[in-house]
Amino acid sequence: MSIPNLDIRPIAGALGAEIHGVNLAKDLDDDMFAAIHQTMLDHCVIMFRDQDISPQAQIDFAKRWGKLHKHPFMPGLKGHPELLEIVKKEDDVHTLGGDWHTDQMFTAVPALATMLYAKETPPAGGDTLFSNMYMAYDALSDAMKAMLADARTVNIYTKNKGRAAAMKNDYSDGEPEEYVHPLFRTHPETGRKTLYLSYKGVTRRIAGLSDEESGPILDFLMKHATRPEFTCRFAWEPGSLGIWDNRSVMHLAVNDYHGFRRVMHRLTIEGQPIKAA
Ligand code: SIN
């Protein structure tokens, strides 16, 4: 195997890189895929520009990473049930993913990675923020790490959250349930420890603690994990394709483009049962 040298351009000190010179519709032999996969592990979130791929080609690329994951409560695109079309129209007030989170933390086996392909973007705004959860874990004091070493969080899908009109929930396959995950986890591929968290609509509390006890701890951890020096920001253009590692990042869709339309095609890849740190 000869791993190609990619043109990798980091976009921030903490995480995130653009990969240039790759045409995802043509260039994906095993060596190229191995190089892209390693770049995602190294930079946590990667972005390709100026791609022209069909829903089926996006699905085929996503399948290289693992089995596709179907959103449990949101119907997919007609003919491609795993592909979620995220639409925010000119007059929509809410957006999908507008709070810090990691994907599918409200399921038994949350997503390994997410692939987002920009179809329509506003002239400015509509960026996605990412935060490096390795850095967030590493920067906690030893005492805090020890105190929370065995902590587990209780997570559930936020049923009544405001969402753009096109993003309708469907509970015909079952109602949201609570799932418990370790607060600190070990990344199955890098072996590094991360803080594993979403906003309070999903991560409701630390198991075994009362709301009064766990609330301030979760508030502190969220503030800590989203310190500017742990983050990067992706500005999308039509044809941009981003992939992020849900095991090592949180993300947030910035809702700052009222009056404009944004359409993204999103696929998630199944993870593995989570190992505590
Ligand atoms: C998401 O949270 O998966 C959506 C991110 C985005 O639309 O920027």
Side-chain angles (χ1 to χ4, degrees):
M1 187 142 138
S2 97
I3 305 292
N5 275 326
L6 297 178
D7 178 1
I8 298 167
R9 304 183 197 170
I11 62 161
L15 77 168
E18 291 195 3
I19 300 178
H20 288 256
V22 177
N23 179 341
L24 293 172
K26 302 200 300 206
D27 295 342
L28 278 178
D29 64 16
D30 288 350
D31 293 344
M32 177 61 81
F33 179 72
I36 292 171
H37 179 253
Q38 188 58 50
T39 309
M40 187 194 75
L41 292 180
D42 294 344
H43 294 271
C44 304
V45 47
I46 52 177
M47 166 83 92
F48 302 85
R49 299 286 184 189
D50 303 319
Q51 302 296 319
D52 185 8
I53 55 168
S54 63
Q56 190 54 53
Q58 189 184 349
I59 288 170
D60 292 344
F61 181 34
K63 282 185 175 161
R64 304 286 289 269
W65 302 79
K67 222 172 132 202
L68 296 190
H69 179 281
K70 193 177 157 308
H71 196 289
F73 308 117
M74 281 195 184
L77 200 64
K78 211 160 173 250
H80 300 291
E82 316 89 338
L83 197 154
L84 200 62
E85 187 166 64
I86 302 180
V87 181
K88 181 172 182 287
K89 293 207 290 263
E90 290 83 344
D91 56 351
D92 276 324
V93 173
H94 299 289
T95 190
L96 184 91
D99 293 281
W100 283 104
H101 65 286
T102 169
D103 286 328
Q104 268 94 56
M105 198 169 173
F106 47 79
T107 61
V109 184
L112 179 157
T114 302
M115 182 182 289
L116 201 61
Y117 178 51
K119 302 286 292 175
E120 292 177 52
T121 57
D127 297 355
T128 308
L129 306 183
F130 297 91
S131 180
N132 183 326
M133 302 300 271
Y134 294 124
M135 293 178 98
Y137 174 82
D138 290 345
L140 291 172
S141 66
D142 288 344
M144 187 63 119
K145 285 179 189 154
M147 184 175 88
L148 295 173
D150 299 322
R152 296 186 165 259
T153 58
V154 179
N155 303 275
I156 190 164
Y157 186 66
T158 322
K159 232 179 138 173
N160 302 318
K161 191 168 162 46
R163 293 195 170 89
M167 308 310 296
K168 297 245 186 309
N169 286 315
D170 172 0
Y171 299 111
S172 50
D173 286 343
E175 289 287 315
E177 288 175 38
E178 288 187 340
Y179 289 98
V180 173
H181 299 301
L183 177 66
F184 300 149
R185 65 181 289 187
T186 301
H187 191 294
E189 294 186 83
T190 65
R192 292 181 63 191
K193 294 180 182 182
T194 72
L195 173 58
Y196 192 54
L197 193 64
S198 287
Y199 75 102
K200 271 188 171 164
V202 171
T203 301
R204 297 288 168 93
R205 61 188 181 281
I206 295 177
L209 300 190
S210 66
D211 288 346
E212 288 76 14
E213 289 167 331
S214 81
I217 301 173
L218 292 176
D219 287 344
F220 160 74
L221 290 172
M222 184 53 76
K223 193 164 169 227
H224 167 82
T226 55
R227 275 163 45 181
E229 64 271 30
F230 299 158
T231 69
C232 74
R233 179 173 192 125
F234 267 159
W236 303 90
E237 297 159 351
S240 302
L241 185 141
I243 307 169
W244 61 86
D245 186 342
N246 285 299
R247 303 160 300 180
S248 62
V249 306
M250 276 198 299
H251 62 280
L252 174 156
V254 182
N255 188 3
D256 63 348
Y257 53 98
H258 194 71
F260 296 98
R261 193 176 149 89
R262 181 177 184 266
V263 180
M264 314 291 275
H265 280 183
R266 177 185 188 264
L267 289 165
T268 44
I269 294 122
E270 265 187 28
Q272 299 151 333
I274 298 177
K275 244 175 90 186

